[in-house]
Amino acid sequence: MIDPLSVTAVAGMLGAFGSAMAGEAGKWTWEAVGNLAQRMTGRQVEAPVGAEECEELARQLVAGARNDPERARELAAWMRGRTGGPQGQGGAVPRQLPASTRYFTDRKGPLAELDKEAGRKADGRPRQVLLHGPDGIGTSAVAIHWGGREAHRFPDGQLYADLRAAGPQGTVDPATVLRRFLRRLGVPAEQVPATVEGRADRLAELLAGRRLLVVLDHAHSAAQVRPLLTPAPGVVTLITARRPLAGLDTLNVAVGPLPDKDARRLLTDLAGKHAVSAAKAALPGVLERCAGSPFALRAAAPVLGDAAPRALAGQTFADPLEAATADRYARLAPDAALAYRRCALRPWPALDPRAAAAATGLAEADAAAALDELAAAGLLETALDGRYRYRPAVRRHAEALAVREDGLAACATTVHRTVEHYLRLAVAADHAALPQRWHLGPLYAEIGPDGYPDEAAALAALGAELPNLVEAVAAAEEFAAPGTVCQLVEALWALQLKAGRHDELLPALRTGARAAGTTGTAARTAARMHVQLALALTELQEYGEAEQQLVLAAAAEEKDGHLRGQATAVETLGLLRLRQWRYAEALEGFDRAVGLLDGIGADDSGRADLPRARALLARHRGRALRGLGRFAPAAASIEEAVAFFRGTGEAYNLARALTDLAQVMIEQRRGPDALPLLDEAAVLLERGGADFHLVPIGVLRELCADRVE
């Protein structure tokens, strides 16, 4: 039993748990390990930060395990909980590579370079290739076609990421890509490290012995790509970009225009021999305008019979892609042309008919038809979920047209309408996902939680729209609408609490904190923005900045005389202390928050929320008391929370309190009493869509058997 508990293994567990605290599941696990550490060492231990502190604490835990078989079993259970079984080991085989285009022409040179790099003898140099060329030239097609053709080389699968995204930079953050890769490799959500460094290390660990293809499409910079690279000898990484990326040490392969012979062949494949023969007179002009660009050739194929494309007369274009885009736009029906312009005014990551209807003023059915026409014309790309998005160069063209043809006032109105659409969607979903919580934004009272069958469905809807919601926050800030920013950010709360994804939420939360400082923002709203940012920063282990945000929140509430909000800020600071295993300070903070609640008068704001607020604090006080080894008062405090949430039917918080109470019972050697509580909590969490909480519950079930009188 003790042999697997080496210092290296235990230090790795501490580092993994410390950096992979996704929501309540991670907190439970981290606090449980902290409780164990303090019992095994016989003293108050602060949470380790960094590899050196983890290793030092691991030495102490291993020494304690050698002298206490019961604690050794508990430590081993949490070690097994880290892996979560075969899936936790990252044993999944991902198959993410998109399908290759049906008509793929030429590219013998780049394909040969890829064959050579993938087949060379391992000599310590990583197999990493950058395919570069102008937009629309086909770098992605080369990477995807080769990956599909050579799938036999990669029995352990393929990982694919499109590195384009919404926002001013138009790029996906590496942390987000790493999280997606780890999840695809079978790492449970609660075991994904919080930091870029931790995720990169975990990815390198998982890929070390694999034969796998990684495709990083549409890269923006070396800094974006570097955390995603691995030196594993069996991994081939293909990167596509518009140009060579300075500072990236890869094999650079240029992808150029198609020669006329291959361009003719592609047109023939696309349009058919009869159409090409019928357009024989116009063909030289078409080939000249397309200049070997596969995108332009695909756009020209359906209209080969037009000798003079209607959008080109008297105009000059920067490249064939722009010329082809202008020609296709000129052929659109009025509704599709309107949607093309109006939906392009922000880089929305995923457009659907409802969003297009908001942007254009069209009926939803007409907006859906317009999107279908744009996709058929090659002006929109279709995602696997059926939604649409622009190629960046196409969106720039559409946005410029909107400004020129519709005017700035109409463009501004369009953006406001679209942001309002996402705001109302987010408020309704957030309200349904967490209906009992304390709401500030005025739309909560107007919209309510209708429209979703249960909390899990509402949470899923929020998660699906998260990239659009982050972009909506950025748009609201750009249009100087701090009130809208704050309402949108508040509506992200359920995602923060139940789904983690803090790295993706962080840009919006920082925007909310900036909005909190603008003139006219109510103190209570400002405090909420600071608290939400602080919670994300805590999850991401930015403890110093998190504490600063909580101090700002408490100051704003105190200035406003709002005791309920001030108590929330103080309570959240106590939660931060729990994360740091500073249990005495956490208890002091929770007691102070109770005192603030006691000061709320009968007519004061927040009075109606007092019972729920006290129940939450009772649970948190119990957690702090458990950390101090005061199990009897801990159980009594948590039982207050259980009784309240059982009475109100608040399933999620009831499940959390039941799990806390079970942990205390296990410490009191009441394992049989704890098991029914864990079973009830698991059912409630599964119904609510919070499946990633179930791993620590599994560990606690195992510990129940060890803690019986």
Side-chain angles (χ1 to χ4, degrees), residues 612-624:
R612 184 174 184 274
R614 292 186 188 280
L616 288 169
L617 276 168
R619 175 186 169 237
H620 300 330
R621 288 187 76 256
R623 293 159 67 190

Side-chain angles (χ1 to χ4, degrees), residues 13 33 40 68 92 108 138 142 233 300 302 388 390 416 426 440 516 541 642:
M13 177 199 72
V33 172
M40 292 181 74
D68 189 335
K108 295 182 180 62
V142 171
Y388 304 93
Y390 289 89
H416 283 298
L440 281 177
Q541 298 184 311
V642 168

Side-chain angles (χ1 to χ4, degrees), residues 189-214:
E190 73 279 357
Q191 294 177 20
V192 174
T195 64
V196 172
E197 294 79 8
R199 294 178 184 186
D201 289 346
R202 183 75 172 119
L203 181 66
E205 174 188 332
L206 291 175
L207 297 186
R210 298 195 184 204
R211 294 169 59 197
L212 183 138
L213 174 67
V214 179

Side-chain angles (χ1 to χ4, degrees), residues 123-195:
D123 57 5
R125 293 177 297 158
R127 293 182 171 89
Q128 297 164 359
V129 181
L130 173 65
L131 296 159
H132 61 89
D135 205 348
I137 206 66
T139 53
S140 300
V142 171
I144 292 168
H145 180 80
W146 184 85
R149 191 190 73 180
E150 301 299 316
H152 63 278
R153 294 181 185 259
F154 306 109
D156 296 315
Q158 313 106 10
L159 291 169
Y160 172 87
D162 188 336
L163 302 185
R164 296 173 297 182
Q169 300 302 318
T171 61
V172 176
D173 185 82
T176 300
V177 179
L178 286 164
R179 179 180 61 78
R180 292 171 183 167
F181 279 0
L182 292 174
R183 295 290 289 120
R184 286 289 187 174
L185 288 166
V187 177
E190 73 279 357
Q191 294 177 20
V192 174
T195 64

Side-chain angles (χ1 to χ4, degrees), residues 419 422-431 434 437-444 462 465-466 468-477 481-497 500-502 504-517 521 524-536 549:
V419 170
Y422 285 117
L423 172 61
R424 297 181 74 87
L425 182 156
V427 166
D430 179 68
H431 201 163
L434 278 176
R437 77 170 175 86
W438 172 36
H439 300 107
L440 281 177
L443 276 178
Y444 282 94
L462 273 175
E465 293 292 351
L466 175 55
N468 284 327
L469 297 177
V470 172
E471 174 57 28
V473 171
E477 181 182 42
T484 302
V485 167
C486 293
Q487 285 193 88
L488 276 163
V489 170
E490 183 185 358
L492 299 174
W493 175 247
L495 279 175
Q496 281 189 265
L497 185 63
R501 301 179 71 171
H502 307 289
E504 292 179 81
L505 288 162
L506 194 59
L509 299 176
R510 289 196 183 280
T511 303
R514 288 194 295 272
T521 300
R524 297 177 193 183
T525 301
R528 177 65 64 88
M529 296 299 99
H530 291 306
V531 166
Q532 285 191 241
L533 176 56
L535 285 169
Q549 292 295 322

Side-chain angles (χ1 to χ4, degrees), residues 321-391:
L321 184 146
E322 185 181 359
T325 300
D327 181 50
R328 295 314 302 263
Y329 170 72
R331 303 172 189 276
L332 294 174
D335 282 356
L338 178 66
Y340 176 72
R341 299 191 307 273
R342 298 291 179 89
C343 292
L345 289 168
R346 299 295 301 186
W348 303 111
L351 290 163
D352 62 16
R354 288 189 300 167
T360 59
L362 296 170
E364 189 173 322
D366 294 333
L371 292 176
D372 288 342
E373 182 177 344
L374 293 174
L379 294 174
L380 288 179
E381 298 174 336
T382 307
L384 291 177
D385 63 2
R387 295 191 290 178
Y388 304 93
R389 70 175 180 184
Y390 289 89
R391 181 186 291 266

